[in-house]
């Protein structure tokens, strides 16, 4: 199956009190993809998310279980051969990459991740941008993301995701795809990923959900090991750029990740 770049696709965006950046996100989505429909999978927002969706002609589907279920619901609701999954706080600054991404979606490729290294948090953004220059896109298996991704619907339609996961559901998804023999590709894209929850609060959320993922497969300690080495990578970034911020950020992020890891019941859900 091949898809023409002019063929319209469904776009799915999970939302939860996402009013701050949602309009900017939607504007960039409309410029990036040939949109058939935009569907918001909303986790019972109490802000203006619904009104923004209505003003932009989006469909809204409500869920109360969490992010993994929102992803799974997107797969079930898809009505096009290829879908786009986009985070509500992600904004694309270039709009010609969609055609290139489709060119990477060969018959055995289930997903193309559009990696946006730039973040609004200065220290994290500098860390990401530094290491993106040295880590080949094709080798970033464990940086797989479902938050800025083209998906082949036939590859994900029947996949079930554990509802206990509210982060790293994309890593679980990747494992299922690889077991089924699917491949994936990366493309780097200019844009901005906002993160307004606070670096360390989000780190605890990641840590808690990494612990949940570990409970599903105790043989996989990769996420824990990756965060143990995070300060060392931050030190390298700071040393070579003569900027202490990546190192300071990496220490704080790693420490808070393991706070979340130690108490997943408290930190598994991210409140806004």
């Amino acid at each position: 199956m091949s898809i023409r770049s002019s063929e319209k696709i469904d776009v799915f965006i999970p939302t939860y009190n996402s009013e701050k950046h949602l309009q900017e996100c939607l504007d960039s989505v409309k410029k990036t993809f040939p949109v058939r429909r935009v569907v918001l999978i909303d986790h019972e927002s109490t802000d203006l998310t619904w009104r923004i969706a209505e003003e932009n002609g989006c469909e809204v589907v409500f869920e109360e279980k969490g992010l993994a279920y929102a992803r799974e619901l997107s797969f079930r609701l898809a009505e096009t051969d290829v879908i786009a999954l986009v985070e509500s706080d992600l904004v694309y600054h270039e709009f010609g990459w969609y055609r290139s991404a489709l060119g990477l979606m060969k018959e055995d490729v289930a997903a193309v991740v559009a990696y946006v290294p730039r973040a609004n948090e200065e220290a994290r953004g500098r860390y990401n941008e530094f290491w993106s220059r040295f880590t080949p896109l094709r080798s970033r298996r464990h940086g797989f993301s479902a938050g800025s991704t083209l998906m082949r619907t036939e590859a994900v339609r029947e996949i079930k995701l554990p509802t206990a996961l509210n982060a790293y559901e994309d890593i679980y998804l990747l494992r299922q795809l690889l077991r089924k023999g699917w491949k994936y590709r990366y493309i780097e894209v200019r844009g901005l990923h906002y993160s307004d929850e606070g670096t360390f609060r989000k780190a605890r959320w990641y840590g808690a959900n990494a612990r949940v993922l570990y409970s599903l497969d105790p043989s996989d300690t990769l996420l824990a090991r990756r965060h143990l080495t995070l300060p060392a990578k931050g030190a390298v970034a700071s040393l070579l750029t003569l900027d202490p911020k990546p190192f300071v950020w990496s220490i704080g992020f790693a420490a808070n990740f393991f706070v979340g890891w130690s108490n997943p019941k408290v930190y598994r859900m991210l409140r806004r």
Side-chain angles (χ1 to χ4, degrees), residues 257-271:
F257 176 91
F258 286 104
V259 169
W261 175 282
S262 67
N263 201 340
K265 290 183 178 179
V266 172
Y267 298 110
R268 186 177 66 85
M269 299 295 291
L270 186 63
R271 303 295 179 186

Side-chain angles (χ1 to χ4, degrees), residues 5 19 23 55 63 69 90 93 100 107 142 147 161 187 212 261:
S5 59
E19 66 177 6
Q23 185 62 60
E55 291 173 349
E63 59 81 19
Y69 181 72
L90 189 144
H93 291 166
S100 300
E107 291 297 325
H142 298 290
L161 300 175
I187 186 170
V212 174
W261 175 282

